[in-house]
Amino acid sequence: MTASATGVGSLPGGDAREAAKTATGSFEDFPYLPELPARGPGADMIGRSLGLLVDMYAHVEPSGWRISDRPGRDAKRARSWLGEDLDALEEFTQGYTGRLKVQAVGPWTLATALELHGGEAVLQDAGACRDLAGSLAEGLREHLADVRKRIPGAEIVLQLDEPSLTAVLLGRVRSASKYRTYRAVDRQVVEGTLREVFAVHDGEVVVHSCAPEVPFGLLRRAGATGVSFDFSLLTEREDDAIGEAVESGTKLFAGVVPGTDAPLSDPAGSVMGVRKLWRRLGLAPGTLAESVVVTPACGLAGASPAYARAAQAHCVRAARSLADNPE
């Protein structure tokens, strides 16, 4: 079995065709739909996901994205850029069959990033959180149907970005004034909402977070089939949760390649930590290739274009090294 590799989501620059060419050329077996935040508000991961919402609108304020009463030009621009990115991806995936990843921001990170009319985060209002999750689920359903129509041979993998999830669970999200934090959201509420959003897709659903203390157990119970994370932030405290996840069939999208310009070690060196983790957990080396997908640690929007290309090629070589020499 060959270990696979893919990207996280964002790339530098603003050229949709160039980005699609890079994402499909680097990862011939597992391409993804790139995001290009350098284009401005609406091309960033928050803006793009707000553009997917159904019967719920948002616009840009100096403080960030805020709920609107009606559709405006910011959300329209987000949808237009997404259409441009999908057109480019469709062009470079003619006749493609295999896994293809698309990304959107998950409901809890979106609730920390979207403001209510008064300026506080949606996270403060339980009813608004429910409405946001429902609107996002509906928008994702339509988005996935569009991708299926454009690239009919693709097995779509849905990635939900949840970098703020741990902060939501631990009550660490700062209020608009920055002087206080919002109350922690009950774990069962968080899990239930995620389960409802995951249910829009009957294929693989991966949750990405490049924050420390990723809640592996909660994500597994909510139905995630994979967890994508910055491998350098793992501590041995997470060993048990990761072991249980792997044994129950959860895939690990291990972010082992730096997301911003840095010297790249040899490919085998990049996945040495993954091999050590496997030994520590007492897992069979032969399961490595089927359980691990190699990725950059986070999106590559902050990298130079040359490094972004090199980092993605390095992920592919590191995955090959893992498959060829699991021990």
Side-chain angles (χ1 to χ4, degrees):
M1 164 121 189
T2 315
S4 54
T6 190
V8 170
S10 66
L11 285 174
D15 184 329
R17 287 189 78 255
E18 188 57 39
K21 188 177 169 186
T22 300
T24 54
S26 301
F27 302 112
E28 291 174 10
D29 300 326
F30 198 169
Y32 66 97
L33 173 66
E35 297 157 3
L36 300 173
R39 292 182 294 199
D44 58 303
M45 67 180 205
I46 298 293
R48 165 171 284 190
S49 299
L50 292 172
L52 293 174
L53 297 180
V54 172
D55 296 333
M56 205 169 185
Y57 314 107
H59 67 278
V60 179
E61 291 276 339
S63 55
W65 286 88
R66 186 170 290 186
I67 279 184
S68 303
D69 295 323
R70 61 185 70 83
R73 72 168 182 269
D74 296 326
K76 195 171 171 186
R77 190 168 53 221
R79 283 194 294 275
S80 163
W81 272 327
L82 175 58
E84 199 178 294
D85 295 339
L86 283 166
D87 288 346
L89 185 71
E90 188 177 354
E91 180 187 337
F92 287 99
T93 49
Q94 293 294 311
Y96 174 74
T97 56
R99 292 161 94 198
L100 168 75
K101 186 163 71 64
V102 298
Q103 307 82 224
V105 176
W108 293 108
T109 296
L110 215 51
T112 69
L114 179 61
E115 298 173 356
L116 297 162
H117 291 297
E120 292 296 345
V122 164
L123 185 67
Q124 180 183 274
D125 182 326
C129 285
R130 280 194 298 275
D131 291 347
L132 179 62
S135 174
L136 175 66
E138 201 48 52
L140 283 171
R141 203 174 271 119
E142 291 177 8
H143 176 45
L144 293 167
D146 183 28
V147 178
R148 272 189 212 102
K149 199 163 67 190
R150 289 167 176 268
I151 310 162
E155 296 161 32
I156 300 171
V157 176
L158 172 63
Q159 174 183 304
L160 291 170
D161 294 313
E162 281 283 15
S164 301
L165 184 61
T166 301
V168 167
L169 290 164
L170 299 177
R172 292 180 186 163
V173 179
R174 294 212 163 274
S175 67
S177 69
K178 306 291 183 232
Y179 292 125
R180 64 182 182 86
T181 53
Y182 297 116
R183 188 181 294 127
V185 182
D186 181 87
R187 294 181 82 84
Q188 284 180 315
V189 172
V190 169
E191 191 180 314
T193 301
L194 289 172
R195 190 177 292 113
E196 283 166 25
V197 175
F198 295 172
V200 304
H201 184 46
D202 55 9
E204 288 183 68
V205 177
V206 176
V207 175
H208 170 72
S209 170
C210 41
E213 301 173 70
V214 175
F216 287 92
L218 181 146
L219 294 173
R220 180 171 56 82
R221 288 191 302 275
T225 59
V227 182
S228 167
F229 57 96
D230 179 343
F231 194 84
S232 71
L233 298 177
L234 279 190
T235 66
E236 291 192 17
R237 283 199 307 272
E238 280 130 322
D239 279 6
D240 287 349
I242 291 174
E244 281 172 26
V246 172
E247 285 175 344
S248 69
T250 307
K251 283 196 167 57
L252 301 183
F253 285 62
V256 297
V257 178
T260 50
D261 294 41
L264 294 170
S265 70
D266 69 296
S270 292
V271 286
M272 196 189 300
V274 181
R275 290 193 186 96
K276 282 182 180 164
L277 171 69
W278 238 243
R279 282 199 292 274
R280 228 171 41 233
L281 297 175
L283 296 166
T287 62
L288 258 173
E290 64 201 44
S291 300
V292 175
V293 178
V294 177
T295 72
C298 216
L300 293 165
S304 65
Y307 176 80
R309 285 191 295 273
Q312 298 199 132
H314 190 85
C315 287
V316 174
R317 289 195 295 273
R320 202 170 295 135
S321 155
L322 207 52
D324 293 347
N325 183 14
E327 314 235 14

